[in-house]
Amino acid sequence: METTALNPREIQQFRAETKGTAGKIHFNNAGSSLNPDIVVDTVIEYLKDEALLGGYEAENKYSVALENTYTLIAKLINADVSEVAVVENASVGWGILFNGIDFKKGDEVITSEMEYVSNLIGFLHAQKVHGIVFKVIPNDAKGNFSLKALEEAISVQTKLIAITHIASSAGGMMPIVEIGKIARKNNILYLVDACQSAGHVPIDVKEIDCDMLSVTGRKYMRAPRGTGFLFIRKAAQDKVKPLFMDGHSIEWISEDDYKLRDDARRFELYEKSRALTLGLGKAIEYALNIGIDRIWQRIQYLAGIMRLRLGEMEGVTVHDIGDQKCGIVTFSLHGTESGTVKSKLAENNINVSVGIARSTLIYMNKNQLSNVVRASVHYYNTEEEIEVMCDVLKKMKH
Ligand SMILES: Cc1ncc(COP(=O)(O)O)c(C=O)c1O
């Protein structure tokens, strides 16, 4: 089915429904995007009810809506509701999944050079503690992931392929569907970090054919900070050990035995913010009502304009490489520190962030980048906002 582009009337409506879009330009969506007003109202209303009714009583009142968050997550990624768990952020989700794998000395983990800092630390930790080997597939000269190099790197020792779909500080994307085919063919567990891509790009866990996936709420999903979720395929649930357990994650068999509950919620704990869980659900509902394919089309369009306009400017280098690019645009202004660019833009009510080497260390080191300016667009941004940012950058050079 053909995707219809978001029209100017819709964009105006989404902006009117997002107080944060007034009076400033927000190009820090890869950091944390602006919540729709309905998400903020949902969280506040719930907190008020908690205060008025009592925490457990409020939970009771909202039990259907709370459960619906899981249904909405499942719909967003085309999973079964028994395959999702709500967690506080992507690092927690990824850490629960990765650290639950029963690694033995000599097991191999294959990753790409775009991997996120927390995940790289996880590999190094498993190397120290379990004696695993981790292999990094370098991107080719055009910045594309090499499927051929991946196939060549796989051995009988390969236990896991772990890939970050969209890196923290780079505009390219990893071919997670094609990687999934290779993982499946070789019967290797496959873990995808979709932290930057959920709400940004359509994510279909059946198409990706991943066993596990981790997501944060605050980035392209427009959910409140402190929210996230994990996906674990039914068939993989017994291959990963829960790191923590409470009465929510198990069923008693007898006084001295228990069994894990029969779904992904064995990987979450009972106590969490119900208000934020509801806010997460509301943000997903808001995105699904628009359509992720339409969101993705609009993001590509805006990021394309931004790269073009920056590329035309003298003294600006756009760093994004690879054939498939996303809403994260990274660049440098010759002779001006990225931190100074960020501050100057902030003085003009324009939010961007600085992508530091540490976040995507292997890629940044390889490309001799210590930091970059990261301007990340969402569907509610406009062409005019891009022009305003470029005008400020032009003036900065004089
Ligand atoms: C690619 C990627 N993965 C994981 C994370 C970690 O997400 P969180 O801060 O929600 O744990 C980030 C955060 O910037 C990220 O960019």
Side-chain angles (χ1 to χ4, degrees):
M1 209 173 59
E2 187 112 325
T3 306
T4 47
L6 291 175
N7 63 50
R9 190 187 47 75
E10 287 175 291
I11 304 300
Q12 280 321 311
Q13 182 197 327
F14 302 141
R15 293 176 67 80
E17 291 169 356
T18 306
K19 285 199 181 64
T21 57
K24 73 173 161 323
I25 297 175
H26 191 68
F27 287 143
N28 190 12
N29 296 294
S32 186
S33 63
L34 300 171
N35 303 138
D37 298 342
I38 184 79
V39 170
V40 182
D41 294 345
T42 299
V43 174
I44 292 172
E45 280 312 306
Y46 186 90
L47 286 175
K48 281 186 185 160
D49 263 349
E50 259 188 3
L52 286 176
L53 305 176
Y56 290 83
E57 293 72 14
E59 178 174 4
N60 226 4
K61 176 175 167 187
Y62 288 87
S63 61
V64 174
L66 284 163
E67 182 57 32
N68 196 37
T69 295
Y70 292 83
T71 311
L72 288 161
I73 294 169
K75 195 168 170 201
L76 177 78
I77 61 171
N78 192 23
D80 189 82
V81 72
S82 65
E83 297 175 312
V84 295
V86 172
V87 291
E88 297 93 318
N89 55 59
S91 300
V92 167
W94 192 94
I96 288 172
L97 296 167
F98 178 78
N99 291 297
I101 298 172
D102 182 23
F103 286 117
K104 304 260 181 333
K105 191 172 173 11
D107 282 345
E108 289 172 3
V109 174
I110 302 183
T111 190
S112 90
E113 65 178 61
M114 310 312 286
E115 205 62 8
Y116 184 65
V117 49
S118 320
N119 313 356
L120 285 175
I121 294 167
F123 304 145
L124 285 169
H125 180 72
Q127 191 177 52
K128 284 187 187 157
V129 174
H130 303 296
I132 68 147
V133 175
F134 86 93
K135 296 179 177 173
V136 179
I137 307 296
N139 284 345
D140 65 19
K142 283 174 69 195
N144 291 316
F145 183 80
S146 169
L147 295 168
K148 186 165 170 285
L150 171 64
E151 297 226 56
E152 285 166 4
I154 289 171
S155 79
V156 288
Q157 303 278 79
T158 310
K159 184 130 183 174
L160 177 75
I161 297 176
I163 299 289
T164 292
H165 189 194
I166 293 179
S168 169
S169 308
M173 292 169 70
M174 293 288 106
I176 52 171
V177 172
E178 290 73 14
I179 295 171
K181 290 197 174 79
I182 295 173
R184 190 62 58 205
K185 189 174 81 186
N186 290 279
N187 198 21
I188 297 167
L189 277 177
Y190 181 30
L191 168 58
V192 173
D193 174 341
C195 180
Q196 290 287 359
S197 52
H200 182 163
V201 184
I203 297 286
D204 180 334
V205 290
K206 296 203 171 63
E207 190 193 7
I208 302 165
D209 213 358
C210 55
D211 296 293
M212 299 167 282
L213 180 120
S214 53
V215 169
T216 211
R218 73 182 181 282
K219 297 183 186 289
Y220 278 86
M221 302 230 303
R222 307 188 62 195
R225 294 196 71 171
T227 58
F229 66 82
L230 63 81
F231 156 82
I232 177 158
R233 178 184 300 282
K234 194 89 201 142
Q237 287 176 11
D238 286 336
K239 295 183 187 166
V240 176
K241 291 200 194 88
L243 297 183
F244 326 94
M245 280 173 274
D246 64 5
H248 173 79
S249 33
I250 61 118
E251 271 173 46
W252 286 113
I253 295 174
S254 66
E255 253 182 44
D256 41 31
D257 204 7
Y258 67 87
K259 68 175 179 109
L260 291 170
R261 59 182 287 168
D262 195 23
D263 61 17
R265 289 184 225 185
R266 65 173 71 170
F267 297 103
E268 62 176 31
L269 294 177
Y270 167 73
E271 182 52 11
K272 58 168 67 70
S273 165
R274 269 56 175 174
L276 295 183
T277 303
L278 272 192
L280 172 66
K282 203 38 98 181
I284 297 174
E285 187 178 64
Y286 192 87
L288 288 173
N289 284 341
I290 299 170
I292 307 288
D293 47 352
R294 301 180 79 212
I295 290 173
W296 175 217
Q297 191 184 55
R298 166 91 181 161
I299 290 174
Q300 288 178 94
Y301 163 74
L302 289 175
I305 295 180
M306 190 183 273
R307 284 193 190 94
L308 193 74
R309 297 284 291 109
L310 289 170
E312 287 165 358
M313 282 170 58
E314 214 182 294
V316 173
T317 305
V318 176
H319 297 292
D320 306 327
I321 45 178
D323 293 336
Q324 179 61 64
K325 296 189 184 68
C326 65
I328 297 177
V329 179
T330 60
F331 63 94
S332 307
L333 211 62
H334 300 183
T336 312
E337 279 295 316
S338 299
T340 309
V341 176
K342 179 186 157 177
S343 305
K344 291 273 181 219
L345 288 172
E347 283 167 20
N348 289 275
N349 293 322
I350 303 170
N351 298 344
V352 297
S353 64
V354 175
I356 48 176
R358 171 181 90 183
S359 306
T360 320
L361 193 66
I362 301 175
Y363 157 81
M364 294 286 273
N365 281 351
K366 180 176 153 181
N367 292 285
Q368 282 135 33
L369 295 167
S370 55
N371 56 62
V372 291
V373 183
R374 180 179 73 172
S376 44
V377 296
H378 216 326
Y379 62 89
Y380 53 69
N381 290 124
T382 64
E383 295 89 330
E384 293 75 35
E385 289 182 325
I386 295 172
E387 295 309 324
V388 172
M389 183 183 84
C390 290
D391 285 346
V392 174
L393 289 173
K394 267 187 217 147
K395 286 191 198 119
M396 274 179 62
K397 296 202 290 107
H398 301 296

